[in-house]
Amino acid sequence: MRQIILNNLKDLIITLKEGVTTITFEKIGTGEVRVMPCTLNRDLMGTNAFSIENINSQSKSIVVYALDKKDIRDVMVDTITSWHKGSPDA
């Protein structure tokens, strides 16, 4: 499954820039599963808006804006187990 995520990192980045995306990943150290609604769409970040113009599709981590925490998070790509467009309940 993780190889599929790595192969589709470019699609994930595009979806994050479009709007709300839910990423499911395992936290480093604890192995706890985290389901995180996040985005790279500046319009959805409020006063915390930042811009990432280019993300290498070979990157080992991606920086996103976590909508539930209202803060920036760094996610290791190899910990992502799934992702989908929309909020967690979508």
Side-chain angles (χ1 to χ4, degrees):
M1 175 66 103
R2 289 192 180 148
Q3 189 60 41
I4 293 170
I5 300 301
L6 293 173
N7 290 339
N8 291 319
L9 184 56
K10 185 176 179 179
D11 293 336
L12 171 57
I13 293 165
I14 290 168
T15 303
L16 283 162
K17 288 181 177 182
E18 290 174 350
V20 178
T21 303
T22 298
I23 296 176
T24 302
F25 63 97
E26 294 177 13
K27 287 186 169 184
I28 294 176
T30 66
E32 176 187 347
V33 174
R34 167 104 155 87
V35 178
M36 181 174 62
C38 52
T39 191
L40 287 175
N41 183 308
R42 293 184 57 148
D43 294 337
L44 300 175
M45 295 181 200
T47 59
N48 296 315
F50 68 97
S51 178
I52 297 178
E53 298 303 319
N54 297 308
I55 300 174
N56 186 331
S57 61
Q58 302 300 312
S59 180
K60 293 183 182 199
S61 69
I62 56 173
V63 175
V64 298
Y65 180 77
L67 293 162
D68 57 344
K69 302 293 184 181
K70 296 185 180 4
D71 202 5
I72 298 166
R73 295 290 189 258
D74 189 14
V75 179
M76 298 301 293
V77 172
D78 66 354
T79 66
I80 299 172
T81 56
S82 66
W83 64 272
H84 68 270
K85 185 175 186 171
S87 61
D89 55 359

